[in-house]
Amino acid sequence: MTAPLDRGPDGRPTDIESGLGVPDWIAASLKYCSRCGKELRFGAVPGEERHRLACPSCGHITYVNPRLVVTTLPITDDGQLVLLRRGIAPAIGSWAQPGGFLEVDETVTEAARRETLEETGLIVEPGEIVGLYSRLEAAVVVLAFEARVVGGQPTTTPESLEVRSFAPSQIPWDGIAFKTTYWAIADWLARRHPYVVPGAPLLAQH
């Protein structure tokens, strides 16, 4: 078990303890071996440093790893931050940065551009990495880029009810969707606008 103070800044968005193994909601979908079809068992495996899901018949180990979510903080020419009001679960109606899961056949930069265009109608050029955030509850790691808006027009989509630009001092803190959104914006402000104090993470429960 790793003590919370040792988890590093990427662990800030996470409430649950580290070292608890595969979340129950994921384990529930991993019942059978993908190699031979026999029922998987969770327990000690020779040569492994921790308990694993493994097949007692063929010995195949089912490793469970977090998914990578690639996001952007799109910045307009006048220095405003673009956020979208989510149109899909979770956190429908709350504000978040554009982003989504990395596809197996693309780079993180390509994913950042694609997801931003799909969700906001904006073309961006990803720049510096603002932060990397672990979310054990959702089994994801979130990568946040600062990104310059270079084209397109703000457009609502099935995934976004509204696309809007905010001055650094006008971030809608009481309507932020995710803890990872809160920390990414807070880290961006600390870097670019240190005089702006982030609001309290009132939501950030997802």
Side-chain angles (χ1 to χ4, degrees):
M1 189 69 65
T2 303
L5 292 178
D6 296 331
R7 298 201 293 182
D10 64 296
R12 292 172 298 177
T14 288
D15 289 331
I16 66 174
E17 295 179 337
S18 301
L20 298 181
V22 181
D24 291 341
W25 61 273
I26 293 182
S29 65
L30 298 173
K31 293 293 188 181
Y32 302 101
C33 178
S34 61
R35 179 176 293 174
C36 72
K38 300 295 184 180
E39 188 171 357
L40 295 171
R41 293 180 185 173
F42 184 74
V45 175
E48 293 289 320
E49 76 289 351
R50 61 190 297 174
H51 288 184
R52 302 287 187 187
L53 280 170
C55 178
S57 179
C58 72
H60 179 66
I61 300 173
T62 298
Y63 293 100
V64 182
N65 304 112
R67 299 164 295 173
L68 182 62
V69 175
V70 181
T71 72
T72 66
L73 297 179
I75 310 301
T76 62
D77 286 340
D78 59 354
Q80 296 198 1
L81 171 65
V82 179
L83 297 175
L84 60 90
R85 198 155 57 85
R86 289 180 58 82
I88 59 174
I92 294 177
S94 298
W95 294 97
Q97 75 271 47
F101 292 113
L102 176 70
E103 299 286 355
V104 71
D105 58 352
E106 64 183 354
T107 68
V108 291
T109 298
E110 290 172 325
R113 294 186 184 120
R114 173 182 57 77
E115 287 287 349
T116 304
L117 180 61
E118 289 176 358
E119 295 187 354
T120 68
L122 297 174
I123 301 169
V124 298
E125 185 56 41
E128 294 184 21
I129 293 175
V130 174
L132 191 68
Y133 310 95
S134 297
R135 282 283 284 145
L136 304 185
E137 296 87 336
V140 298
V141 173
V142 178
L143 173 64
F145 281 104
E146 182 182 50
R148 183 168 58 95
V149 177
V150 296
Q153 293 294 327
T155 305
T156 58
T157 72
E159 297 185 46
S160 58
L161 301 174
E162 184 179 357
V163 179
R164 182 176 167 187
S165 300
F166 295 92
S169 61
Q170 300 297 319
I171 303 298
W173 296 107
D174 60 347
I176 293 297
F178 307 114
K179 291 181 179 179
T180 49
T181 297
Y182 174 84
W183 286 113
I185 296 174
D187 287 346
W188 174 73
L189 287 175
R191 180 181 302 182
R192 304 299 187 200
H193 304 278
Y195 57 87
V196 178
V197 179
L202 298 180
L203 291 184
Q205 297 300 310
H206 307 280

